Amino acid sequence: MKFLIINGPNLNFLGIREPEIYGNNTYRTLKRTVARHAKTRGVKVKFFQSNHEGALVDAIQRAYFKKFDGIVINPAAYTHTSVALADALKAVKIPAAEVHISNVSAREEFRKISYVRSVCVSTVTGEGFNGYLHALNDLIEYARNGKLPQNNEKTACQENKR
Ligand code: DQA
């Protein structure tokens, strides 16, 4: 099975941007952490990051032709604005999991709105980098059994200190 891990705007600045919210670890560390976890779960992962909404839509559409089994997506700021991303996820019908490093529901009002939530099978927020592993686990279970794990235990993540 293969999964696409999509990250939206400013997530390439992890480790630089607002470390009090997003931590000190970099995007590179995030990729390494997810790749290691994927290996232990026996699945393949591919990463895509862009600061551009259209490029993110293109990546979702490519996933359809490349027959990905699931998409983990942190749309970042586009979560709160993008009908285009929600439509793309709906169009490709690939099971998707929405992930946010921070607890978006405990921040500004505008971060409580998510255009992608209703088209995702799972949403994970406020678990730092671990959230990506949690989301991937959800999608693996969903791809195998058509449902989410019963016991949504957090997954161990060595490098994420948050
Ligand atoms: C984020 C939360 C968004 O509100 C914000 O715009 C981001 C990152 C998160 O991972 O916590 O860029 O998606």
Side-chain angles (χ1 to χ4, degrees):
M1 285 197 285
K2 57 177 183 175
F3 296 87
L4 182 61
I5 318 295
I6 297 180
N7 279 287
N10 301 307
L11 291 168
N12 55 322
F13 257 48
L14 286 172
I16 301 169
R17 73 180 292 208
E18 299 174 275
E20 65 286 2
I21 296 174
Y22 301 110
N24 293 304
N25 290 320
T26 62
Y27 177 62
R28 196 160 162 244
T29 301
L30 172 65
K31 286 200 290 185
R32 201 169 52 210
T33 303
V34 176
R36 278 190 191 150
H37 179 69
K39 207 169 175 191
T40 67
R41 295 296 323 258
V43 300
K44 288 201 159 62
V45 280
K46 204 173 175 254
F47 298 92
F48 182 80
Q49 189 279 329
S50 178
N51 296 326
H52 305 275
E53 187 175 14
L56 296 166
V57 170
D58 289 344
I60 293 168
Q61 291 186 0
R62 273 197 306 276
Y64 174 82
F65 295 108
K66 295 202 167 156
K67 297 189 170 27
F68 276 90
D69 297 290
I71 298 173
V72 172
I73 184 163
N74 183 347
Y78 290 134
T79 308
H80 319 300
T81 62
S82 180
V83 176
L85 285 180
D87 280 352
L89 290 169
K90 214 171 179 179
V92 298
K93 287 196 188 120
I94 298 171
E98 173 190 11
V99 53
H100 299 286
I101 295 165
S102 66
N103 182 3
V104 280
S105 62
R107 297 177 64 191
E108 301 96 321
E109 280 301 308
F110 68 86
R111 293 190 206 274
K112 293 180 182 160
I113 297 160
S114 169
Y115 283 87
V116 301
R117 195 149 306 165
S118 65
V119 296
C120 288
V121 299
S122 158
T123 296
V124 180
T125 69
E127 295 183 16
F129 285 10
N130 268 329
Y132 289 78
L133 314 189
H134 183 164
L136 184 59
N137 285 343
D138 282 355
L139 289 182
I140 293 169
E141 179 70 13
Y142 196 83
R144 287 191 180 141
N145 301 317
K147 58 181 176 58
L148 297 177
Q150 291 289 322
N151 193 356
N152 260 355
E153 279 178 9
K154 289 190 186 166
T155 321
C157 169
Q158 312 272 308
E159 274 166 316
N160 178 24
K161 311 252 178 359
R162 302 186 66 231

